[in-house]
Every structure is written in C-alpha cells, then in structure tokens.
Amino acid sequence: MPELIRNSPWSGANHKWVRSSHGVHESPTGTPDASTFTEATHYPKGYLPEGTPVDASDLAKLKPYVAPAPGVPAVNLGFLLSPSRVVGGAATPVAVLRHGTVGVSDLAALNITFEAPAFAPGFIFED
C-alpha cells in the first residue's frame, strides 16, 4: 500500500480509515451539495471531514448518506477522501471513494457516525 498522509485537514487527510489502497486511485471527483448538510452536525469547523459517508448517486451534488432499508444494498455509498471546505454555502470538489476496504472504528475515531450496511457493492467493512 502506498504511504498515506496522516495529519491535519489542510496539509493532508488522515486516511487511517482507508484499510487498502484499492479504489483510491480510481476515485472520481464529486462536489458536496452544502445545502443538504447541516453545519452544526456535518461541518462545524468549516469543512466536511475526510471519511464523511455520502450518497454518491449524483457526483455533481453529493448528499449525506442515508442507510437503505434492511435487505436493500447501499449501491450509492461513497466516502470523501479529503476534507471539503464549505464557504458561503458552497463546498469544494473532492475525490470520492466508491469501493475499497473501510475501517469503521477509524471513522468513529474521527467523530464520524457510520453503521456499515449489510451489503454495499465494492466495499469491505472492518472493525
């Protein structure tokens, strides 16, 4: 696995939650729709942190991820690979992880609440 940067949000993302490099280099660019995220919940420090789970069904307007009904696969799941600064109601474009191995406990360590779905095509979830 390549060396992944693990420090402050603006000098590089903390990719500890990415458990393999699979999917990192193939990540498309997406733009969060800041109007669908809540400032106090999602970006109290002025940015959406890396590791934020998103609904990536429309890469031009990423929205907060909402778990599907039980038994329904999470086909539109993605994770921000870097912080996305939110200024004046607009968020900066970022790479979106669409497949790979994700450490759920590492997301929790970043204060990101996420419960792994039973099935998300392309993803493997570890504790």
Side-chain angles (χ1 to χ4, degrees):
M1 177 158 76
E3 180 77 23
L4 297 174
I5 299 169
R6 303 181 196 289
N7 45 23
S8 76
W10 302 116
S11 61
N14 177 350
H15 283 89
K16 184 177 179 185
W17 60 274
V18 180
R19 298 281 178 91
S20 76
S21 61
H22 179 78
V24 172
H25 300 291
E26 298 83 11
S27 298
T29 301
T31 304
D33 179 354
S35 70
T36 63
F37 292 87
T38 305
E39 182 176 359
T41 302
H42 296 107
Y43 59 99
K45 296 180 181 178
Y47 62 90
L48 293 162
E50 46 91 12
T52 298
V54 294
D55 175 340
S57 56
D58 180 354
L59 290 171
K61 294 182 180 184
L62 300 172
K63 299 179 280 191
Y65 167 75
V66 176
V72 176
V75 295
N76 295 320
L77 177 59
F79 295 89
L80 301 184
L81 268 174
S82 62
S84 175
R85 189 182 303 260
V86 180
V87 178
T92 56
V94 294
V96 181
L97 185 70
R98 292 302 314 259
H99 63 279
T101 305
V102 174
V104 176
S105 60
D106 293 321
L107 291 175
L110 294 172
N111 296 318
I112 294 172
T113 302
F114 176 74
E115 186 175 326
F119 180 59
F123 283 105
I124 297 170
F125 299 104
E126 298 178 344
D127 285 335

